[in-house]
Amino acid sequence: MALDTDKREFKIVGTRPLRPDGIDKVTGRALYGADTTAPGMLVGRVLRSPHAHARIVSIDASAAEALQGVKAVITAADFTTANNSHSQAVLDNCMARGKAMYHGHGVAAVAAVSEAIAKQALKLIKVDYEILPHVTEIEDALKPDAPVLYPDKPAKRVPEGTPANVSHVTHFGHGDLEAGFAKADKIIERTFRTEATHQGYIEPHACLASVSPDGKGDLWCCTQGHYNVRALCADFMGMDASQLRVTASEIGGGFGGKTTVFIEPIALALSRKANKPVKLVMSREEVFKASGPTMSSVTDVKIGMTKDGRITAGYANLRYQCGAFPSGTIELGAMSAFAAYDLDAVKTDGLNVMTNRPREAAYRAPGAPTAVYPVESVVDELCQELGLDPLDVRLKNAARKGTKASYGPTFDDIGLVATLEAAKAHPHYSAPLGPNQARGVSCGFWFNFGGNTSVSLAVNVDGTVTLTEGNPDIGGSRASIGMMAAEELGIPFDKVRTLVADTASLGFNDVTDGSRVTFAVGLATIKAARDAIQKMCARVAKIWDIDPEAVVWEDGCVKPAGDNAGQYEPMSLAEIAAISVKTGGPIAGHHEVNADGAGVSFGVHLADVEVDPETGHTSVVRYTVFQDAGKAVHPAYVEGQMQGGAVQGIGWALNEEYIYGADGRLQNAGFLDYRIPVASDLPPIDTVILEIPNPGHPYGVRGVGETPIVPPLAALNNAVSRAIGVRMSALPMSPPRILKAIKG
Amino acid sequence: MVQVVIWGSLRSAVDGAVQVEVEACDFRGVLAALARDYPGLRAQIEAGVSLSIDGKIYREAWFTPVHADSEVVLMPFMVGG
C-alpha cells in the first residue's frame, strides 16, 4: 500500500492526545500477567538445573507426588514432539529433554495448592545428573577440544570443517576488498567484545493456564505475540489451535524478550494433569537464568579511509554466542554492520556458536547493536587519527537513495543524510565540553518489517468506533492505531477505543516485533476504515437514491460528489451510524494483510560523557537522539521509543553483563548485581524526530522501536575513548575496565 | 528471466555465482525455481528466506510480482525484537 499521493493536512496524526492506557497504569488498574486469577487456582513452580551441562539419568518424582497438596508433577515426557526443529528447540528450552543444557534449565515442574507446598515439592524431586564438561565463552566454544553441546546432531547448513558448536555461518558483501584497502591512507584493525545482556523488562514472565477435561484450553499471559504463543503451545500440547484461546495481558516491557515462550507450555501441561487452573510466575532470578538474554560477541573489524575521509573498504568478522540452541541472529548482525555506508568494497563474515547458556531471545534490533558498535568505533578512531570531523565523514560516506546496501538491495528513500545533517546543525554538536568530558557519535540502522495483520473496526450506533487488533501494545500502539482510525474517519480520537483481542476473536497476527505494529497494523487500520467508509457511502447513496459513485467521503461526512449528484445535506458518521439498523444493519470495516514495504530506519546519537579518572566512573552528561520516523503518529510515544532505546543502550555500554563463574553458573541473577540504569544515572534524553515519508505506507509511517538501541554502544564507546585518551574495545565499560585502560 | 543475487554463504550452492538467473514471475516462482535449479539452496529456502524486490523486503509474499528488470536479492528470513 503506497504513500498517499495527495499531500494531506493531518488533523489528528502528529498530535499528542492523552495516553489511553495512562490512567490504568498509574492507578494500578491495569492487569498484568500475574494479575489474572481463577477459582481453585494452583501455584506452579519449576525445578531448574544446578549444573551448566548434565545428562539427566533419571527423575524420581514419587515423593513430591505423594506430598499432600501437590496436584501434578511434569517433565519433558508430558509434551509431544514439536512439528519442526525450531519449535522443538523452543520446547526443549522450556523443559530439558535428556540433558540440562545450562544453569537454570527447567527439568521438572509441580503444581500445588500453595507456593510453600510447591517449593517443598521441588526439593523432593530426585534428579540423577551425570555432570558433563561445559563451555560458556565464545572463544572456548570454538576450540577444537571444546565440549560439544550436540555431538549426535551436527549442524546441517555449515561448511565442512566448521567447529562443532557452530550453528550458523554467513557472509555478505560486494566489491574488491584488497583493492579497496590498497586505496586507503589509513587502515585500522581492532577486535571488540560485548557481554550478554538482558532486556531488563520490569514485569517477569507470568501466566495462568486452564485446561478442561474436554481438551479446551485458556491461557492468559504477558507476551509480545499471543498468536505465536497459541501456535507453539498447541503444538507442544497436541491440541488444535482453535481449542486453545490465548489472551495477552497488559505488558510491563518486552523489547523482544517476550516473543517466545518459557513457562506457558509448562503451566498448560500442569493444568491438564491437575485438572485445575495453574498460575506460574517467574522470579527475577529465574528471568535472568532461564529467559532469553541477548548474545555476547567478539568481532574483528578492519576499515580503510583516505586522508579526506572516504571509506575505501570495510571488513568485519563477527562471532556471536547464542546460548544452548541454534540461532540465526548472526545473519542480521552481518547485514547491519556496514548498512549506514555507501561502500564499493565491503564484506562481513559471521558465525553463531552455541554454549551452555540460556537460549538467546530477541532484543530490539537483534544482532545489530553488537555489529554496528565495532564498525562505528573504528570509523570514529579513523576520524580521530586523521583529524576529521566524525559527522562530516559519515555524511561523506552515508548510504542514500540508490546506494547498494552492504547486504545486497538498493536503498529507496531513506533518511540517514537528513538525520546526520540535523545532528550537525543541532546546538548539542557544537556545545563546549568540560574537563574529562568528550563527545561520541554513532549511526544506527534497522530493517523494520510488516507481516501478518488482522483488524476489525466496528461503527457503533452512537457514532463511536471500536477498533480490534491483535498485537499486544508494547509501545503505544493502541494510541497510534486509534489516531489513524480517527484521522481516516474524520472523528475525534476520543470517539475511538482500541482493544487487543484474544486469539479466538480476530484473525491471525504476527508477533509484536520488527518495529512492525504502527506500520502494519496502522496500514490495516487505514484499509479497514476505508472499507467502512465505502459501506457508509453506499448506505447514504441508497438513502438519497443516487448512484454510489455520486457520493464522496470528506471531513467525516458523506457528501454529494458534485452538483450533478443533487443537493443533499452532508451526513456525518454519527448520523449514518444512528440509523444503520434501519438501512441494512451494523456497519464495520475489516482488513487482513501480510504487509510489506516497511522501510528501513536510521538514527544518529550524540553522547557527552564525563569520566572520573580516579574511579573510572562514567557520567552521561548530555544525550541527543536523531531518528527518521517517516511520520510520527503520536510524537510523544516516538520520543519515548527513542529515549528508551538510548537508556537501554547506555546500560549495555556502561554496566550490564551476564557473569559466569568457572563452574558455568550465572553469578549475578538479580538487579542488585546486574545493574541497569536508573533515572538518577541519566541526563534528560533529548530527541529530534525527522520525517522522511516511507513510500510503502499511506501516511509515510516507518517503524521506530528498534533502531534507537543500535547507536548507543558506539556513541558511548567513542565518547569514553576520547575522554580518557585510550581506545576502548570491550563492553561494558564498567569503572574497573576504564581504570585498567587509563593505567595501561 | 530474473536475476537473483545470492548472499555470500549460499554461493557454494550456486557454483560460487554472485547472482543466478531463474524463470519466474513472482515471489513464489523465484523460490521454486531456485530450489529446483539449485538443490543446494533447498534446505535454506525451506528453513525460511526473505526476498528484497526493488529495495523492498518481502516475507512469504507468494504473489508479489517480479519482472525481468527487477532487482531481486535473496535474504535470510527477517525477525525482530
Side-chain angles (χ1 to χ4, degrees):
Chain A
M1 192 173 179
L3 182 69
D4 284 352
T5 49
D6 54 325
K7 191 171 170 63
R8 64 189 298 166
E9 293 287 327
F10 290 109
K11 292 179 179 164
I12 294 168
V13 165
T15 64
R16 299 170 182 249
L18 284 178
R19 300 179 175 214
D21 53 343
I23 295 285
D24 282 357
K25 285 183 175 170
V26 300
T27 59
R29 285 167 57 93
L31 294 175
Y32 291 91
D35 292 329
T36 311
T37 58
M41 183 177 80
L42 303 174
V43 177
R45 298 285 294 180
V46 179
L47 182 68
R48 300 191 176 278
S49 169
H51 307 297
H53 195 194
R55 193 174 313 286
I56 299 169
V57 179
S58 64
I59 300 175
D60 179 0
S62 55
E65 287 169 329
L67 182 67
Q68 191 167 9
V70 171
K71 302 297 182 186
V73 180
I74 63 153
T75 66
D78 288 272
F79 297 98
T80 61
T81 302
N83 66 18
N84 62 58
S85 60
H86 172 78
S87 298
Q88 188 65 51
V90 174
L91 173 58
D92 291 348
N93 184 52
C94 295
M95 191 61 78
R97 191 179 292 259
K99 279 209 302 182
M101 301 305 296
Y102 56 89
H103 175 219
H105 197 173
V107 295
V110 302
V113 295
S114 72
E115 185 166 353
I117 293 173
K119 283 181 174 174
Q120 196 183 345
L122 291 186
K123 292 178 183 166
L124 295 175
I125 298 174
K126 291 176 192 155
V127 184
D128 183 9
Y129 292 105
E130 175 196 344
I131 297 173
L132 301 170
H134 65 270
V135 61
T136 56
E137 305 304 319
I138 293 173
E139 278 130 329
D140 293 339
L142 291 170
K143 288 177 180 167
D145 59 349
V148 178
L149 272 69
Y150 299 99
D152 304 327
K153 284 197 294 181
K156 286 179 188 163
R157 297 195 304 277
V158 300
E160 208 170 311
T162 304
N165 289 319
V166 171
S167 73
H168 285 68
V169 172
T170 197
H171 314 286
F172 291 90
H174 58 254
D176 184 340
L177 275 187
E178 201 175 325
F181 283 119
K183 289 180 198 162
D185 295 311
K186 181 88 185 169
I187 295 171
I188 289 179
E189 285 185 80
R190 197 177 276 284
T191 297
F192 292 83
R193 288 179 166 76
T194 67
E195 296 299 339
T197 57
H198 196 273
Q199 299 84 350
Y201 35 81
I202 301 306
E203 182 197 18
H205 298 265
C207 66
L208 172 67
S210 181
V211 181
S212 64
D214 63 0
K216 293 188 179 69
D218 270 290
L219 179 67
W220 296 264
C221 59
C222 63
T223 176
Q224 290 178 238
H226 44 311
Y227 292 83
N228 184 47
V229 171
R230 180 183 68 171
L232 290 167
C233 291
D235 179 15
F236 304 159
M237 296 284 289
M239 296 170 71
D240 291 340
S242 61
Q243 299 307 310
L244 177 60
R245 178 174 59 173
V246 183
T247 305
S249 69
E250 201 67 62
I251 190 167
F255 314 110
K258 292 177 181 169
T259 55
T260 185
V261 296
F262 298 103
I263 54 172
E264 295 81 357
I266 297 172
L268 283 164
L270 286 169
S271 174
R272 178 162 65 184
K273 202 160 190 175
N275 194 21
K276 293 265 190 184
V278 174
K279 181 187 275 192
L280 191 44
V281 181
M282 270 188 169
S283 65
R284 179 60 57 186
E285 184 179 343
E286 286 179 297
V287 171
F288 274 105
K289 285 181 176 171
S291 66
T294 188
M295 80 297 289
S296 55
S297 70
V298 179
T299 301
D300 306 323
V301 172
K302 179 180 178 183
I303 300 176
M305 189 179 281
T306 60
K307 282 178 188 165
D308 64 349
R310 180 67 193 157
I311 299 173
T312 59
Y315 173 72
N317 184 308
L318 306 103
R319 284 91 77 194
Y320 284 3
Q321 172 281 131
C322 55
F325 298 89
S327 164
T329 305
I330 187 64
E331 292 168 339
L332 303 173
M335 287 194 285
S336 303
F338 287 98
Y341 295 108
D342 181 2
L343 302 176
D344 292 333
V346 58
K347 188 179 181 203
T348 52
D349 295 326
L351 62 81
N352 247 332
V353 61
M354 294 181 286
T355 63
N356 295 112
R357 293 192 186 207
R359 179 175 183 262
E360 171 216 336
Y363 182 6
R364 270 180 130 152
T370 44
V372 169
Y373 150 66
V375 169
E376 287 294 285
S377 297
V378 170
V379 168
D380 189 72
E381 188 175 356
L382 282 162
C383 294
Q384 205 175 11
E385 295 268 327
L386 293 168
L388 301 168
D389 180 274
L391 281 179
D392 284 344
V393 166
R394 285 172 173 84
L395 276 164
K396 187 183 279 269
N397 295 282
R400 58 198 76 211
K401 184 172 184 173
T403 292
K404 182 178 168 59
S406 56
Y407 57 93
T410 303
F411 286 128
D412 197 344
D413 287 316
I414 55 173
L416 177 58
V417 169
T419 310
L420 287 163
E421 285 171 343
K424 184 104 199 280
H426 195 275
H428 182 169
Y429 196 55
S430 51
L433 293 160
N436 300 315
Q437 292 186 356
R439 179 165 299 134
V441 174
S442 177
C443 296
F445 159 85
W446 184 243
F447 302 93
N448 297 333
F449 52 78
N452 294 290
T453 306
S454 304
V455 164
S456 180
L457 182 154
V459 178
N460 304 315
V461 291
D462 66 351
T464 62
V465 166
T466 304
L467 183 64
T468 311
E469 51 122 337
N471 279 94
D473 178 356
I474 62 172
S477 55
R478 278 169 294 189
S480 62
I481 289 159
M483 289 170 74
M484 285 187 266
E487 181 77 47
E488 202 63 30
L489 293 168
I491 60 176
F493 171 63
D494 63 8
K495 297 295 181 192
V496 181
R497 183 167 183 196
T498 304
L499 300 170
V500 179
D502 63 62
T503 56
S505 304
L506 190 67
F508 179 77
N509 287 272
D510 278 335
V511 173
T512 298
D513 70 347
S515 303
R516 75 173 211 90
V517 172
T518 301
F519 167 77
V521 183
L523 189 149
T525 296
I526 291 166
K527 290 282 276 185
R530 290 178 184 178
D531 184 33
I533 286 169
Q534 198 176 13
K535 290 168 183 167
M536 287 188 279
C537 285
R539 293 284 174 94
V540 173
K542 233 174 177 178
I543 293 167
W544 291 343
D545 198 20
I546 61 177
D547 288 340
E549 293 77 27
V551 302
V552 293
W553 181 267
E554 273 179 18
D555 300 326
C557 295
V558 177
K559 298 175 180 176
D563 291 341
N564 290 343
Q567 296 296 316
Y568 302 99
E569 281 300 309
M571 287 189 72
S572 68
L573 180 145
E575 290 169 321
I576 300 164
I579 56 172
S580 58
V581 294
K582 298 172 186 168
T583 61
I587 296 171
H590 65 98
H591 192 67
E592 296 79 32
V593 66
N594 183 2
D596 293 302
V600 300
S601 166
F602 289 92
V604 174
H605 290 203
L606 300 180
D608 293 359
V609 303
E610 181 173 323
V611 181
D612 183 337
E614 298 297 320
T615 65
H617 176 263
T618 300
S619 302
V620 183
V621 295
R622 188 170 182 180
Y623 202 103
T624 309
V625 179
F626 304 82
Q627 189 172 322
D628 169 21
K631 178 67 194 172
V633 178
H634 190 308
Y637 277 114
V638 174
E639 290 160 0
Q641 291 283 357
M642 292 159 73
Q643 291 161 333
V647 170
Q648 286 185 308
I650 289 168
W652 197 336
L654 296 182
N655 284 302
E656 297 180 36
E657 61 179 317
Y658 266 52
I659 299 171
Y660 280 87
D663 57 2
R665 293 187 170 108
L666 182 61
Q667 303 293 301
N668 59 335
F671 279 140
L672 281 176
D673 298 317
Y674 179 99
R675 194 176 184 289
I676 61 172
V678 295
S680 56
D681 293 323
L682 299 161
I685 309 288
D686 291 330
T687 55
V688 176
I689 300 171
L690 282 291
E691 293 188 326
I692 292 88
N694 171 19
H697 187 279
Y699 295 174
V701 169
R702 293 179 198 272
V704 295
E706 292 171 286
T707 299
I709 203 170
V710 182
L713 311 191
L716 269 292
N717 191 70
N718 296 337
V720 169
S721 298
R722 286 172 181 258
I724 65 174
V726 179
R727 292 307 303 192
M728 297 294 289
S729 57
L731 303 183
M733 295 179 289
S734 51
R737 279 202 175 128
I738 289 180
L739 271 186
K740 192 176 170 190
I742 292 172
K743 290 175 180 171
Chain B
M1 299 296 277
V2 179
Q3 304 290 325
V4 183
V5 177
I6 306 296
W7 86 79
S9 38
L10 296 185
R11 288 179 191 157
S12 60
V14 292
D15 300 325
V18 173
Q19 62 181 29
V20 298
E21 194 173 66
V22 295
E23 181 79 50
C25 59
D26 59 20
F27 179 107
R28 177 171 61 165
V30 169
L31 296 190
L34 287 173
R36 182 191 64 230
D37 298 348
Y38 302 97
L41 293 177
R42 263 185 218 155
Q44 180 65 53
I45 290 171
E46 284 167 9
V49 291
S50 311
L51 280 184
S52 169
I53 302 172
D54 294 327
K56 275 188 192 173
I57 298 171
Y58 294 87
R59 305 186 306 172
E60 300 171 327
W62 276 14
F63 308 121
T64 304
V66 295
H67 308 288
D69 60 349
S70 295
E71 179 197 69
V72 181
V73 182
L74 187 65
M75 293 172 60
F77 190 78
M78 305 303 291
V79 296

